Amino acid sequence: MSDWPEGRNGGPDERYGRGSGSPQPEGARAMPHVRRRPTPPQSPPRIPPQQGQGYDGYGETPGYDSGYNTGQVYGGGQGADRRGGGGRGGDSGYVQSRPAPNWGRRIKVGVLTLVVVVLAVSVGTYFWADGKLKREVDLSKVIDRPSEGDGTNYLVVGSDSREGMTAEDKKKLHTGSAEGKRTDSMMILHDGSNGPTLISLPRDSNVEIPSFVGSESGKKFAGTGRTTKLNAAYAEDGPELLVRTVEFNTGLHIDHYVEIGFGGFANIVDAIGGVEMDIPKAFKDKKSGADFQAGKQTLNGEQSLAFVRTRYAFAGSDLDRTKNQQKFLAALASQTATPSTILNPFRLYPTMGAGLDTLVVDKDMSLWSLGNMFFAMKGVTGGEGTSMNIPLSGQSVNGNLVWDKDKVKQLVEQLKNDEKVTVKGS
């Protein structure tokens, strides 16, 4: 007869737990006279682990028998944290939610990204435009120059250059096919603290050609007191002699030179979608191709060029033409410097490209100075500036226009001192 209690699965040699080395079970755990009923497994309540609790993060469970009554051990099981949290395979009982978005940080990153993109585009545009400028006029070759005054003086020249134009372009724009280039219009733009002043210099002005150094030969030509039309100075030795002649006859220092040809002028107008003008009286001119009705209308490139070149249709001839040129250039600048052009790359880049492709400037001209000139031109009709013809006293024996020396001297002094212009032009 066996002494092993009924209901035990193991044999007499089976040991329990970590008992002694005796072949018999430990007395405290054997209890052969007791037959316990297995306690059903209970899921312990899940509470956050507190200091002093077991590694599984569970607290004391009422009725939980930690003895070896069933051979089962609680703590792991099916609900164990498969993400490795809560101790040894334990389940903390919590599902971690995604943290709320940090909108402040996102906004800062977005703004920073936008600033970087805008800066990159601006820098790229600057170098692109700067590379297209034709800095061909060297004002250091101009001798015996007047002293500089306050403000900045630009000599703005419209030439009849047909460079880059096809035979079809010349026919369409009524430019003819003359070789070389001559000045078709000349203006002094003064940009100062009292607003911009735009002064037209009629190309038939009677001026003296002073001594000068040839722009190509470097040879000095002495002045002989010879007088001729102002545009003849340009035809004789180009922009450098024109600047020298304007400075000699006015006493005003020219800081920058800007020139644009026929083709570039028309392309700029077309690039911005035309320029709106209010023409007070209808006129027509076969030579320039002008044919305009009175009233408000939008001029395309071809029409704009005809408008600024027409003189034979007016009683005042070249004087009336210079007034139309001032009116048109101010309107062009005003309608170009708008958000719809500046903030629209599909209009901005074609406009800049059309102008820069044919623009000729002096070697010291920067894009910043060119931009200042552009906005000063816009200010002429914005209530900030003045436009006028240079004061005249009559005509010379050869029919050229003679300047009023006293008024010109007073005008130049006001410009040099950056004072408000009170002199009236012709």
Side-chain angles (χ1 to χ4, degrees), residues 159-177 184 261-270 285-290 300-310:
S159 75
D160 63 0
S161 172
R162 293 134 175 107
E163 182 180 356
M165 296 174 63
T166 64
E168 184 179 351
D169 292 334
K170 295 175 185 178
K171 182 179 179 180
K172 178 182 177 182
L173 299 176
H174 301 271
T175 64
S177 300
D184 202 61
F262 283 161
F265 181 84
N267 289 339
I268 291 175
V269 175
D270 286 334
D285 181 20
K286 290 184 179 181
K287 290 191 175 183
S288 66
N300 60 25
E302 178 185 349
Q303 294 170 323
S304 299
L305 188 58
F307 181 82
V308 300
R309 294 183 62 216
T310 298

Side-chain angles (χ1 to χ4, degrees), residues 197-226:
T197 302
L198 185 62
I199 308 162
S200 287
L201 308 176
R203 67 177 190 174
D204 292 341
S205 297
N206 196 66
V207 295
E208 179 181 343
I209 302 296
S211 58
F212 68 96
V213 173
S215 59
E216 297 295 335
S217 66
K219 179 181 178 181
K220 184 172 182 178
F221 297 88
T224 61
R226 172 171 57 101

Side-chain angles (χ1 to χ4, degrees), residues 343-395:
L343 300 180
N344 184 352
F346 297 102
R347 296 186 67 181
L348 175 63
Y349 286 98
T351 301
M352 293 180 65
L356 295 174
D357 280 341
T358 59
L359 205 64
V360 176
V361 299
D362 63 272
K363 292 183 180 296
D364 295 326
M365 174 70 81
S366 66
L367 283 177
W368 180 261
S369 296
L370 190 62
N372 287 339
M373 184 205 78
F374 183 79
F375 282 98
M377 187 76 74
K378 177 184 177 182
V380 170
T381 56
E384 306 171 3
T386 304
S387 61
M388 59 187 292
N389 280 321
I390 197 162
L392 301 173
S393 60
Q395 291 184 327

Side-chain angles (χ1 to χ4, degrees), residues 237-251:
D237 198 50
E240 289 84 0
L241 179 55
L242 178 61
V243 171
R244 167 73 174 130
T245 302
V246 169
E247 288 188 341
F248 178 82
N249 286 270
T250 62

Side-chain angles (χ1 to χ4, degrees), residues 8 28 31 33-39 65 67-70:
R8 294 295 181 182
M31 295 180 289
H33 60 284
V34 176
R35 185 169 186 172
R36 291 186 178 181
R37 191 175 184 177
T39 304
D65 190 350
Y68 289 85
N69 55 341
T70 65

